[in-house]
Amino acid sequence: MTDTILSVENLDVSFQSYNGLIKAVRGVTFDLKKGETLAIVGESGSGKSVTAKSIMQLLPKKTTVINNGSIVYEGNDLLTYSKKEMEKIRGSEISMVFQDPMTSLNPTMKIGKQVMEGILKHKKISKKEAFVRAKELLELVGIPNAEERMKSYPHEFSGGMRQRVIIAMALASDPSVLIADEPTTALDVTIQAQILDLMKNIQKKTGTSILIITHDLGVVVNMAKRVAVMYAGQIVETGTLEEIFYDSKHPYTWGLMQSMPKLHQDRSVPLIPIAGSPPDVSKLHDGCPFAARCPYVMKVCHNHMPDQSTISGTHSVSCWLQDERAPHVEKPELGGNNVDKSKTS
Amino acid sequence: MSDNRQEITDDLFVHEPLEEGKAEEIANPPSNFWKEATVRLLKNKGAVIGLITIIVISILAIFGPLMNEYDYREQDLLRSNLPPLAAGLEWLGLDGTNSHHTNVYEERSITNAPAWFGTDEFGRDLWTRVWKGTQISLFIALTAAFLDLMIGVIYGGISAYYGGKVDDFMQRIVEVLVGIPNLILIILFILILEPGITSIILAMVITGWVNMSRIVRGQILQLKGQEFVLASRALGASHNQLMWKHLIPNVMGPIIVTLMFTIPTAIFFEAFLSFIGLGLQPPLASLGTLIENGYQEMRYFSYKLIFPAIIISAIMISFNVLGDGLRDALDPKMRK
Amino acid sequence: MLKFILQRLGYMAITLLIIITITFFLMQLLPGTPFSNPEKLSDRQIEIMNEKYGLDKPLAIQYFTYLGNLLQGDLGISFQSQGRTVNAMIAERIGPSALIGGQGVVIGLVLGLILGIISALKHNTIFDYGSVFVAVLGMSIPSFVFAALMQYFIGVKWGLLPAALWKDYSYSIMPSLALSVLVTATVARFIRSEMLEVLGQDYVNTARAKGIKEFSVIIRHVLRNALIPVVTVLGPLAVSIMTGTLVIEKIFAVPGLGEQFTLSILVNDYSVIMGITLFYSALFIFVIFLVDILYGILDPRISIGGGKKDVR
């Protein structure tokens, strides 16, 4: 049995805005186990990045309200930590890789200095030693001529190389948890694969737990053992990779699967998009947030939030279809293998 | 969730989609750019106060000179250097006393209508002169800003729209013009044009349009590559149609904002020129000439400086605050 | 780099030539040329000047003679103050102007930086609103109005500082303060918006995610990046300082270049007006040139001559 290293419990995050309080994250609960990779999947605006940033407490303090829940790291609730205590956690215990490598590096500071900065903060070592360590890290993430490149500025690097540098910075003091917020979204497809491989290799070497935030199911398949599906600030379904891909229960997860292109699928089979667009989280009402777009929507969905039902030890879902009173709904074909070719033109 | 689970009865488990259209409505609240901008502007207290101040000052600039029996150039040496006196406003210092606390009106037994803002050394009524001066200053500023706008939009529009060599050539000219300190050109032009309203306007426009043309050019270049322009081009829209129907409406925001900042700059330049002796000649009044005059005698007759100084400051502040507010309202991304 | 500097220098030369040309021909349009004022000048002087400036020759030749003289640094002779050269007048009056201008810039930069930084760090608090309000006042109230009020209250009514004239150092304080108002306001507004923009950048979060102290994040990552673009306001500031000296020297009776300029305007001393105009223009163009080079040195993203490679 693996132990839990990070556990988020019933987390609520809201923002103050000109139009009132926006509930970006509502009652999110998940565990991250030592050495595993958990993926949080969802459309943009589903609250997945906010969840990640709230773990690091990188959300703007003045406008963010976290009024419920806990973020427990190795037995301690990070939400009760002071600013100083958080600084010690950030970058040393929990690190983060951001979405856009083009904007995530300080444009006027040399690469080497930026990598060394984190090392010097968390390790009691001399500048010289930090330099050596930074060089090693850059070599680890596959930067050629690391020593020379440390004197370069970010704009002299390609996007993929910058993301490698950012990963190197995140690894500066062997973190136990690496949060990757859409680490490949801004990169070319071929570079994406390289970065994902790099992260997997690093995990093998260091045993870091990875929390990967993405909207790309391809990334999920490539990286994760377990998956949490987020919609409108809530986790609607969690399970192992297999359970989510082959035995999912939530109509939203079905929709996600149907809209994903498959490798072996006939090109003429149309992808099925989910109708409508994600709800405006500032205007949510009581019912299930997916009700407005759900093809199986029932009367009950409009005004009542479904409970979480457990399918197996690892698989749970929040949907009224799980209620015994609900009509039986046939799950649509999700995989590319058994597609009915007669329907195609 | 505060749901009462007992409420959930079996009959709720029937398929029932949301009413047609409501789903979309929830997802995309309807929005109108100008309406939203107006709402955002009205939420900005500073900008609203600025706007109201500008309106009040404009109204006074038009009707102020007509509100008493005096004309702005009518001299009356019997009434020279009268301190301000306004019934009901004595507590504000408008009590007709001079720096020695003697009531000049009683001392000189002046019985005709009091001068609300006092009089100058020729006995001209300063209330009338101040508002007449505001009127002239605003006229100069608005005309200059309008001409800047016309020339700037046409020049910048042509330059950006046609691009290529035309743009290259036109921008070379702009680059040289930007390198010349405009104040100095303005002074030189005033020197040969003879001080007067027209020459001040002309001198300011000669350099003022450059800024506007650069803003317009930048905006159009940015918009040019966007899809809706390509789309209407593909549909066979002519150059002129494209420019007036699509490009210009889309650059309106930055133009309005630039205009809001051009007006106070023009007011400043007019006052500045008058202050160094290149402005309007008496008996004509402008805020600049009044301030210059007031400054000369501020030690003994501080009211001569105070009133035009307050008004010019109020105008400048109002336009700047309104400009800031408009910029935030028209470009929410820029909100700081 | 060298190519860029040469190119810029070329532009500077062209701009300056155009200004000289405009100035020269505008002066020709004025009633009475700078070089023919028989009441003030003796026959002998006119003879010398005709010889030196070729005034009896056609306009084109006069123009080139003037250009030639300028190239040798000769700005001509004042024709109101007998026989004095414009060069000597500028040299004599540049000191006080430079002193109050320099002090004004330094005071303004310091105050502006403080206000702007506080404003950005305490965004949307009473401190922010306060600084923004002060900055708007500083931008809006014309410098001569402000200077006049300062002179009236600080100098005349309360007698804290000398109200006018130029005797010892204390006489430079009020003019410098008056000049610094606009600088303070401009810098404060600029720094505030730059800082707010940088604070919203991803790399600030990257730095925080490394566990760096908030203070170090602000100093090392935010301030540095926010300060670099401030050099771009130096050009406009140079202009506002020049504009400022014209009126503020007049108000405080500072014997500087600006006061000479306004005096010359009043007495129609065209050659001096022309000389000071060219001097100011050259100074301004040089400042712009310096700013371009400085920006290229400070911001590694700008390869000089190649433009911005990547905008954040």
Side-chain angles (χ1 to χ4, degrees):
Chain A
M1 226 12 231
T2 43
D3 322 313
T4 298
I5 185 154
L6 181 75
S7 118
V8 172
E9 195 96 28
N10 215 4
L11 183 71
D12 280 353
V13 183
S14 312
F15 295 113
Q16 261 147 8
S17 82
Y18 284 97
N19 308 319
L21 212 61
I22 293 172
K23 294 176 179 169
V25 171
R26 303 180 299 154
V28 162
T29 300
F30 64 85
D31 287 341
L32 181 66
K33 305 206 162 56
K34 261 186 192 150
E36 78 158 349
T37 303
L38 170 70
I40 298 184
V41 199
E43 288 168 282
S44 33
S46 61
K48 49 195 193 329
S49 282
V50 174
T51 308
K53 282 187 182 145
S54 58
I55 296 172
M56 292 291 273
Q57 294 182 24
L58 286 177
L59 295 165
K61 278 181 211 81
K62 267 176 238 151
T63 50
T64 312
V65 185
I66 300 181
N67 44 15
N68 201 3
S70 59
I71 299 171
V72 177
Y73 172 78
E74 298 216 312
N76 299 312
D77 188 355
L78 296 183
L79 290 180
T80 64
Y81 271 30
S82 69
K83 224 168 110 185
K84 265 227 167 98
E85 287 170 314
M86 246 349 264
E87 274 163 13
K88 273 185 200 140
I89 297 282
R90 275 190 218 135
S92 75
E93 305 285 328
I94 307 177
S95 282
M96 191 156 172
V97 173
F98 293 91
Q99 176 171 357
D100 188 356
M102 303 316 263
T103 57
S104 296
L105 288 168
N106 184 341
T108 58
M109 197 188 262
K110 285 176 183 161
I111 292 293
K113 208 175 163 197
Q114 294 195 48
V115 180
M116 283 163 65
E117 204 183 18
I119 301 170
L120 286 167
K121 163 79 191 179
H122 297 294
K123 299 203 161 172
K124 300 252 172 304
I125 53 175
S126 70
K127 268 205 170 162
K128 236 183 195 163
E129 288 166 307
F131 180 86
V132 175
R133 168 87 180 134
K135 197 186 123 203
E136 284 168 8
L137 280 170
L138 288 172
E139 278 163 358
L140 176 74
V141 297
I143 305 269
N145 300 333
E147 192 164 347
E148 231 169 87
R149 296 296 267 161
M150 285 172 76
K151 285 176 218 141
S152 307
Y153 286 100
H155 69 86
E156 295 164 283
F157 282 64
S158 68
M161 283 294 160
R162 289 193 210 186
Q163 196 61 305
R164 283 167 194 268
V165 171
I166 292 168
I167 292 175
M169 280 168 26
L171 296 174
S173 53
D174 307 312
S176 325
V177 177
L178 182 66
I179 302 173
D181 185 2
E182 306 248 10
T184 57
T185 308
L187 301 174
D188 290 346
V189 183
T190 47
I191 311 290
Q192 286 187 5
Q194 290 174 15
I195 295 292
L196 293 178
D197 283 346
L198 171 67
M199 288 182 28
K200 277 197 282 191
N201 283 335
I202 285 164
Q203 188 173 34
K204 255 182 226 155
K205 276 184 209 165
T206 60
T208 312
S209 312
I210 296 180
L211 177 64
I212 189 160
I213 314 277
T214 183
H215 65 265
D216 184 345
L217 291 169
V219 172
V220 177
V221 178
N222 199 328
M223 295 288 294
K225 290 278 173 322
R226 286 198 306 127
V227 184
V229 181
M230 256 187 114
Y231 186 78
Q234 293 171 320
I235 290 185
V236 293
E237 186 166 12
T238 44
T240 62
L241 189 63
E242 288 74 23
E243 284 162 344
I244 295 295
F245 271 71
Y246 298 110
D247 192 27
S248 53
K249 302 289 185 199
H250 198 286
Y252 177 64
T253 318
W254 299 343
L256 273 185
M257 299 293 159
Q258 284 178 318
S259 60
M260 178 176 77
K262 285 120 204 140
L263 195 55
H264 304 294
Q265 189 174 325
D266 191 329
R267 283 247 212 97
S268 56
V269 177
L271 295 171
I272 308 168
I274 306 175
S277 49
D280 183 342
V281 281
S282 64
K283 290 179 187 144
L284 281 178
H285 46 96
D286 280 343
C288 170
F290 191 56
R293 299 167 75 191
C294 182
Y296 311 100
V297 61
M298 296 175 290
K299 238 180 183 169
V300 63
C301 305
H302 295 305
N303 295 315
H304 301 279
M305 192 61 214
D307 288 325
Q308 198 176 34
S309 28
T310 310
I311 311 290
S312 72
T314 50
H315 191 178
S316 58
V317 64
S318 304
C319 180
W320 281 118
L321 287 178
Q322 296 305 315
D323 195 283
E324 59 212 356
R325 292 165 288 185
H328 181 68
V329 165
E330 203 53 56
K331 184 177 126 186
E333 282 306 333
L334 304 177
N337 307 331
N338 312 320
V339 172
D340 187 356
K341 302 241 162 151
S342 65
K343 274 187 187 166
T344 64
S345 49
Chain B
M1 291 287 124
S2 59
D3 270 351
N4 185 353
R5 293 284 154 184
Q6 246 110 63
E7 270 175 27
I8 300 168
T9 49
D10 293 3
D11 64 312
L12 288 177
F13 288 88
V14 289
H15 183 61
E16 192 202 73
L18 226 55
E19 300 95 86
E20 197 60 34
K22 207 179 163 190
E24 281 303 310
E25 202 179 294
I26 288 176
N28 300 319
S31 66
N32 170 312
F33 176 75
W34 294 106
K35 234 186 226 166
E36 267 189 24
T38 314
V39 171
R40 276 196 293 267
L41 184 68
L42 292 180
K43 271 190 187 172
N44 184 333
K45 279 184 213 120
V48 173
I49 295 173
L51 184 62
I52 294 173
T53 313
I54 291 169
I55 293 172
V56 170
I57 289 181
S58 306
I59 291 173
L60 280 168
I62 298 169
F63 297 108
L66 312 172
M67 281 165 72
N68 61 22
E69 59 203 66
Y70 305 109
D71 184 76
Y72 73 94
R73 45 186 179 189
E74 176 189 313
Q75 300 190 6
D76 180 358
L77 290 177
L78 289 173
R79 288 170 58 85
S80 72
N81 293 332
L82 284 181
L85 169 65
L89 289 174
E90 287 83 359
W91 53 277
L92 259 178
L94 308 183
D95 54 5
T97 57
N98 64 12
S99 48
H100 304 292
H101 302 287
T102 47
N103 190 321
V104 182
Y105 287 82
E106 285 168 10
E107 196 180 56
R108 286 168 34 191
S109 45
I110 284 163
T111 48
N112 49 5
W116 298 325
F117 280 2
T119 59
D120 67 7
E121 72 268 39
F122 301 111
R124 292 180 293 213
D125 180 63
L126 277 177
W127 166 274
T128 316
R129 282 185 71 71
V130 161
W131 293 117
K132 186 73 191 172
T134 310
Q135 195 184 89
I136 290 174
S137 287
L138 280 174
F139 172 77
I140 290 174
L142 289 175
T143 315
F146 178 75
L147 290 176
D148 279 357
L149 175 77
M150 293 322 282
I151 302 174
V153 166
I154 292 170
Y155 193 95
I158 291 174
S159 182
Y161 190 76
Y162 290 98
K165 276 186 186 150
V166 179
D167 185 40
D168 266 0
F169 178 72
M170 291 174 85
Q171 287 316 302
R172 281 294 114 79
I173 296 177
V174 165
E175 245 169 277
V176 171
L177 284 176
V178 165
I180 304 174
N182 53 357
L183 174 76
I184 279 166
L185 260 193
I186 290 177
I187 291 176
L188 286 178
F189 272 95
I190 295 276
L191 279 176
I192 54 159
L193 287 176
E194 301 272 301
I197 294 180
T198 322
S199 54
I200 290 183
I201 292 173
L202 277 181
M204 286 197 288
V205 171
I206 278 168
T207 55
W209 62 272
V210 177
N211 189 28
M212 182 64 89
S213 84
R214 293 177 109 196
I215 303 267
V216 173
R217 176 175 172 271
Q219 285 294 314
I220 294 187
L221 281 184
Q222 211 185 335
L223 283 164
K224 234 173 112 178
Q226 283 179 10
E227 271 102 40
F228 72 91
V229 177
L230 277 178
S232 45
R233 219 179 206 174
L235 291 172
S238 76
H239 273 209
N240 275 336
Q241 265 178 320
L242 253 184
M243 199 131 145
W244 291 105
K245 273 200 167 154
H246 295 282
L247 292 176
I248 297 293
N250 276 288
V251 298
M252 275 311 279
I255 288 179
I256 292 174
V257 172
T258 313
L259 201 60
M260 278 305 129
F261 290 117
T262 310
I263 293 171
T265 311
I267 289 184
F268 170 78
F269 268 132
E270 182 280 317
F272 174 85
L273 290 171
S274 298
F275 195 82
I276 59 171
L278 286 175
L280 302 179
Q281 302 301 314
L284 225 51
S286 75
L287 288 174
T289 54
L290 289 168
I291 289 171
E292 208 273 336
N293 205 294
Y295 164 72
Q296 302 294 350
E297 301 178 49
M298 76 177 175
R299 281 179 196 220
Y300 309 105
F301 307 106
S302 53
Y303 63 89
K304 288 185 188 172
L305 173 64
I306 300 281
F307 295 112
I310 289 175
I311 289 166
I312 199 173
S313 303
I315 295 178
M316 301 276 294
I317 293 168
S318 300
F319 271 107
N320 277 323
V321 172
L322 182 63
D324 280 346
L326 276 172
R327 187 181 50 206
D328 291 346
L330 292 171
D331 187 1
K333 280 169 292 172
M334 296 273 297
R335 173 156 231 142
K336 291 283 162 68
Chain C
M1 179 82 180
L2 190 70
K3 193 189 155 211
F4 171 79
I5 292 180
L6 287 177
Q7 199 186 339
R8 285 268 100 186
L9 283 172
Y11 258 116
M12 282 167 69
I14 293 171
T15 313
L16 208 54
L17 184 69
I18 289 173
I19 296 174
I20 292 169
T21 312
I22 293 175
T23 320
F24 180 84
F25 287 102
L26 284 183
M27 288 297 152
Q28 297 297 322
L29 291 174
L30 287 168
T33 79
F35 311 112
S36 63
N37 190 334
E39 295 136 48
K40 290 268 164 119
L41 298 176
S42 64
D43 287 353
R44 172 78 192 124
Q45 276 172 313
I46 291 176
E47 210 172 290
I48 293 171
M49 277 174 43
N50 274 343
E51 207 172 291
K52 191 168 177 194
Y53 297 103
L55 290 182
D56 42 359
K57 309 232 166 63
L59 202 59
I61 295 178
Q62 282 186 42
Y63 172 64
F64 285 109
T65 319
Y66 184 71
L67 267 187
N69 287 333
L70 273 183
L71 272 181
Q72 294 159 31
D74 180 0
L75 289 169
I77 289 173
S78 161
F79 75 106
Q80 292 291 348
S81 10
Q82 283 250 355
R84 299 204 50 198
T85 67
V86 178
N87 289 36
M89 290 170 84
I90 291 179
E92 176 188 300
R93 285 185 166 254
I94 187 72
S97 291
L99 179 67
I100 63 166
Q103 288 187 153
V105 170
V106 171
I107 298 170
L109 274 177
V110 172
L111 287 181
L113 278 175
I114 293 173
L115 275 183
I117 291 171
I118 290 177
S119 203
L121 292 182
K122 304 268 172 197
H123 185 38
N124 278 343
T125 64
I126 191 87
F127 297 101
D128 183 22
Y129 302 142
S131 321
V132 169
F133 184 68
V134 170
V136 168
L137 288 190
M139 292 261 305
S140 305
I141 300 177
S143 51
F144 47 90
V145 171
F146 195 83
L149 294 176
M150 256 175 97
Q151 186 180 41
Y152 180 67
F153 286 105
I154 300 178
V156 178
K157 269 206 145 165
W158 306 329
L160 298 177
L161 285 165
L165 292 176
W166 191 256
K167 286 178 190 144
D168 56 54
Y169 176 75
S170 66
Y171 287 77
S172 77
I173 295 174
M174 255 210 295
S176 306
L177 283 177
L179 270 179
S180 74
V181 174
L182 191 61
V183 183
T184 308
T186 313
V187 172
R189 276 168 71 103
F190 194 80
I191 280 283
R192 176 177 179 272
S193 76
E194 280 298 320
M195 281 217 19
L196 286 178
E197 190 180 329
V198 174
L199 279 168
Q201 294 288 325
D202 289 343
Y203 58 80
V204 177
N205 260 342
T206 309
R208 289 191 186 126
K210 281 190 263 188
I212 313 285
K213 270 195 221 103
E214 188 64 21
F215 182 74
S216 314
V217 172
I218 298 293
I219 298 289
R220 266 186 256 166
H221 294 273
V222 180
L223 255 188
R224 200 190 136 87
N225 283 295
L227 283 179
I228 291 172
V230 174
V231 293
T232 56
V233 294
L234 291 180
L237 277 186
V239 175
S240 63
I241 287 286
M242 274 189 243
T243 319
T245 51
L246 292 189
V247 282
I248 279 164
E249 286 178 7
K250 178 182 165 177
I251 288 175
F252 293 105
V254 176
L257 215 47
E259 200 216 13
Q260 178 65 62
F261 192 69
T262 43
L263 263 176
S264 304
I265 287 173
L266 288 181
V267 297
N268 292 340
D269 195 345
Y270 297 128
S271 55
V272 179
I273 296 175
M274 205 163 153
I276 296 180
T277 301
L278 294 182
F279 179 79
Y280 272 151
S281 305
L283 199 67
F284 172 71
I285 292 168
F286 185 66
V287 169
I288 297 285
F289 169 71
L290 273 188
V291 164
D292 276 356
I293 295 200
L294 199 62
Y295 202 31
I297 291 170
L298 288 175
D299 192 334
R301 281 166 300 176
I302 298 172
S303 63
I304 287 186
K308 240 182 184 180
K309 268 188 189 162
D310 143 52
V311 185
R312 270 183 272 230

